[in-house]
Amino acid sequence: MVVIGSVVALAALIAPGYLLGTDPRFAHGEVILVALASGALLVLSWLVRLMQWWGAARAPARRVMVTAHLAQSPQPGSAGRVTAAAGAVSAAGGIDTSPKGYAVWLTVSGRDGGDGRVLHQRVVWEPWLRELTRPRQATVRHGSGVSVVDVVGYGRLWPASFTLRRRPYGVRLIPFRKARRLPKGNSLSYGRLAYLFLLFVLPCLPGAVTQGMWALLGWWVAYVVASMAAVGAWFGIIPPGVLPGAARRGRAPATS
């Protein structure tokens, strides 16, 4: 629903955005036009991915076991000398370089034969993913380079990346059963979400307010919200909330 809603909203906002961006009363229309180009590319990319979803959902089902993992950025010291040096410089400047948790990857292993290979699939966030703290039975449908996973007793997970036959580069995969509470402010939170929203709204805010172009401001706010939702779903980003099993283990909620 988030994907369909955000993509439809972006597509619907492109035409009125072009009219606003070419309005001679607005001195910085090029900002709108650049944003429209990015939004059109995002809509096109999502249409391609939706076709991948459609193709994979029609493929034959295969019984598997799936395990949910939290994807975290690696420790700076474990990712090579250049990354370690960049992490040291960032830490010296007061920037938090501890691992960030941002998405969910599934490891998919066969139950009814197959070649024994383990597949890795990033998925679009669903609230019930927090419950997958142990391996679960599922069926997988693979097609068009992606995998649609139906977890028994829960529901369907849609792919947010190509299916990989290797571990994804640049991240650490922590099984949900081993996931620990991230430090406060370490990953996406409501505060950071609001900061990103204000950061994207700011380029249009001064001109719209000083010239009284409230229609432009309303369009820009709607466009930013739709874009953030579409981008978040594209990368499978976990929204603010409780990490897997945190509430059941009696710990305070953590942002993720």
Side-chain angles (χ1 to χ4, degrees):
M1 292 178 63
V2 171
V3 170
I4 299 297
S6 60
V7 172
V8 170
L10 277 176
L13 288 167
I14 287 177
Y18 178 79
L19 296 177
L20 290 169
T22 55
D23 191 328
R25 295 176 299 167
F26 185 54
H28 299 287
E30 64 275 7
V31 175
I32 302 295
L33 297 179
V34 170
L36 285 177
S38 301
L41 179 60
L42 181 58
V43 169
L44 179 61
S45 300
W46 259 120
L47 290 178
V48 172
R49 178 164 288 179
L50 289 173
M51 291 298 295
Q52 289 179 306
W53 287 8
W54 180 79
R58 293 167 57 88
R62 181 169 62 92
R63 293 186 301 167
V64 295
M65 295 294 292
V66 297
T67 304
H69 295 74
L70 176 67
Q72 288 189 327
S73 56
Q75 293 281 3
S78 64
R81 294 181 179 179
V82 174
T83 306
V89 172
S90 299
I95 300 175
D96 180 17
T97 58
S98 56
K100 311 293 189 295
Y102 69 92
V104 176
W105 282 81
L106 299 180
T107 53
V108 181
S109 56
R111 294 182 62 242
D112 53 357
D115 54 14
R117 288 180 292 185
V118 176
L119 303 179
H120 297 80
Q121 178 66 68
R122 189 172 65 197
V123 294
V124 176
W125 173 256
E126 292 285 354
W128 50 264
L129 271 167
R130 295 190 179 96
E131 301 299 322
L132 302 189
T133 54
R134 60 182 178 83
R136 300 281 183 173
Q137 297 182 15
T139 57
V140 63
R141 292 174 169 84
H142 182 75
S144 304
V146 299
S147 298
V148 174
V149 180
D150 293 294
V151 182
V152 175
Y154 288 92
R156 173 162 289 184
L157 293 172
W158 296 100
S161 71
F162 284 105
T163 303
L164 303 180
R165 299 184 183 276
R166 53 163 176 78
R167 293 178 64 87
Y169 291 126
V171 297
R172 292 193 310 162
L173 297 184
I174 314 257
F176 272 14
R177 67 181 182 275
K178 296 181 180 179
R180 295 293 183 265
R181 182 187 177 191
L182 298 177
K184 184 177 180 180
N186 188 47
S187 55
L188 184 62
S189 64
Y190 291 109
R192 291 193 176 191
L193 204 58
Y195 171 78
L196 287 174
F197 171 76
L198 292 175
L199 185 65
F200 292 133
V201 168
L202 190 59
C204 185
L205 185 60
V209 172
T210 56
Q211 299 178 42
M213 299 184 67
W214 305 113
L216 172 62
L217 182 59
W219 175 88
W220 185 254
V221 169
Y223 194 78
V224 167
V225 171
S227 298
M228 291 177 65
V231 171
W234 179 271
F235 291 104
I237 294 176
I238 302 175
V242 181
L243 278 177
R248 290 195 302 275
R249 290 193 292 267
R251 295 199 298 267
T255 57
S256 61

